[in-house]
Amino acid sequence: MSQALVRIAAGWLLGLMLAVAGAVVAINVVNNTVASPQQPVREYLDALQSGDGGRALGLLRATVPPSNAAMLDGTALQTATSRLSNVDIGDPEDQPGNRVMVPLEYTIDGSRLRSEFVLEKTGTEWLFFNTWAFVPSRLPTVDITVVNGSEAIVNGAAVNMPNGRNSFAVFYPGEYEASLNGQYFAAPATRATVTARDAPVAPLNLLTQATDRLKQDVAAKVKEFLDGCAGEAVKEQKLQPDCPFYYASNNRVQDGTIKWNVTKYPGVSIEPFDGRWVVAPLDGKATVEALQQNAFTGIWYPLKEEVDFSFTTRLDVTPDAVRVTPQLSF
């Protein structure tokens, strides 16, 4: 064989070796990137951030426990992951049974947190490229309760709360915020961070309170009732009208001189009690004026007395109206 042919053959052999080496490098690069165990985790996070619950559920290969599914798609799901920052997908760590654990670190509300995902090798594509999938699991849940309420806002979504409670299936990692911002009742926001499928999550308890608007509406109803009652007492010229206030006297009172005025209207306090909302006893003051005659001397002289009064009410609240029914006992 001539030296020229030897050089040609050597060149072809070197080229082949370089091609093989390049292919091996390329295969390793692919297996460490798009075909790596981290890739399904990247795709899963992307699905969460896009609010694509169907895709996220398929990637995670998770079953949904009996629960409310309001947090598993759309804006509520996007909100759950929107608070994640400084996200870092770590290197896979070998596990028994042809599995690996991929750590995920991130920050929520200033706290550095970690989630771990277990994946298994499911085969290869094109003879060389590994395929990985999440080990099947079950989604965690977040339990929420609301005092004397049948609805709430969770991650921006309005949800029903039958009998004041509900359980929501959720993806992880994520943060879930519940609150109530009604016209008449509200509860401050409370949050739960879910980092793993089996991590214990404390229930979110919404401590509902009456809003200032409800207190103002109830106070207006109470004032309307008391003013009307005082007006009727003057019209009927009664010292002991069918009102929370009255005045007892043994003296004769000149007809046409009786005047009632409410001088201190009750403050309104509304609290939960036994599954309903109640108004605390209403305490106030009223003044009666009249011209009275002493039963012994016959002398006429002015009467002016301030009397304390107290009464209770029944409160009925609908989304659009407030009804206050005085409960008087005589």
Side-chain angles (χ1 to χ4, degrees):
M1 181 180 297
S2 66
Q3 290 184 351
L5 290 176
V6 171
R7 285 196 298 270
I8 292 173
W12 276 103
L13 181 59
L14 178 60
L16 180 60
M17 292 174 63
L18 290 174
V20 171
V24 170
V25 171
I27 291 170
N28 288 334
V29 169
V30 171
N31 278 330
N32 288 324
T33 54
V34 295
S36 70
Q38 292 103 320
Q39 185 60 23
V41 177
R42 293 190 191 96
E43 294 175 3
Y44 170 68
L45 285 176
D46 180 69
L48 296 183
Q49 292 166 347
S50 301
D52 190 344
R55 180 165 170 253
L57 192 64
L59 286 166
L60 196 59
R61 301 167 75 192
T63 58
V64 180
S67 55
N68 189 298
M71 298 296 104
L72 298 184
D73 201 41
T75 301
L77 176 56
Q78 285 181 298
T79 301
T81 55
S82 65
R83 300 188 180 100
L84 274 69
S85 62
N86 303 317
V87 178
D88 179 46
I89 301 175
D91 294 330
E93 301 175 11
D94 290 336
Q95 302 273 299
N98 225 14
R99 295 179 175 181
V100 297
M101 185 278 290
V102 176
L104 176 70
E105 293 187 352
Y106 47 90
T107 300
I108 295 181
D109 295 335
S111 297
R112 193 65 177 166
L113 303 172
R114 174 185 172 106
S115 296
E116 296 181 351
F117 297 95
V118 179
L119 296 95
E120 57 188 0
K121 186 176 179 180
T122 56
T124 58
E125 291 182 350
W126 302 99
L127 300 178
F128 304 108
F129 305 128
N130 298 328
T131 57
W132 296 88
F134 289 93
V135 172
S137 61
R138 177 185 172 99
L139 291 181
T141 57
V142 173
D143 295 330
I144 301 175
T145 65
V146 56
V147 174
N148 285 6
S150 59
E151 61 183 19
I153 302 296
V154 185
N155 278 17
V159 297
N160 292 323
M161 301 290 291
N163 299 315
R165 61 185 63 247
N166 214 332
S167 181
F168 298 86
V170 297
F171 286 106
Y172 62 93
E175 188 170 64
Y176 297 86
E177 178 181 278
S179 62
L180 180 62
N181 300 301
Q183 177 180 208
Y184 292 132
F185 300 105
T190 180
R191 294 178 179 179
T193 300
V194 183
T195 60
R197 64 184 182 186
D198 53 359
V201 181
L204 295 179
N205 300 315
L206 293 178
L207 303 179
T208 315
Q209 297 177 339
T211 63
D212 289 340
R213 170 67 183 277
L214 177 59
K215 295 175 185 177
Q216 291 166 3
D217 285 0
V218 170
K221 298 283 186 183
V222 170
K223 183 177 186 300
E224 180 183 8
F225 162 70
L226 291 173
D227 288 345
C229 209
E232 192 66 21
V234 172
K235 180 180 178 181
E236 296 178 354
Q237 287 294 287
K238 289 184 176 181
L239 288 178
Q240 299 182 10
D242 296 335
C243 296
F245 42 81
Y246 67 92
Y247 180 75
S249 174
N250 293 322
N251 294 330
R252 178 187 174 190
V253 175
Q254 183 174 326
D255 192 38
T257 66
I258 296 176
K259 297 179 181 179
W260 280 101
N261 287 290
V262 179
T263 53
K264 181 181 178 183
Y265 292 95
V268 173
S269 176
I270 302 172
E271 302 293 340
F273 176 76
D274 196 25
R276 57 194 178 93
W277 293 95
V278 297
V279 180
L282 298 165
D283 302 323
K285 296 179 182 292
T287 298
V288 59
E289 297 182 52
L291 188 63
Q292 64 181 348
Q293 185 181 41
N294 188 287
F296 298 102
T297 65
I299 298 176
W300 292 90
Y301 63 98
L303 163 69
K304 185 175 183 179
E305 291 287 342
E306 186 175 61
V307 297
D308 296 324
F309 65 84
S310 180
F311 67 107
T312 60
T313 61
R314 175 182 171 181
L315 177 63
D316 296 291
V317 182
T318 67
D320 303 314
V322 175
R323 185 172 64 187
V324 178
T325 306
Q327 309 290 299
L328 304 179
S329 57
F330 303 103

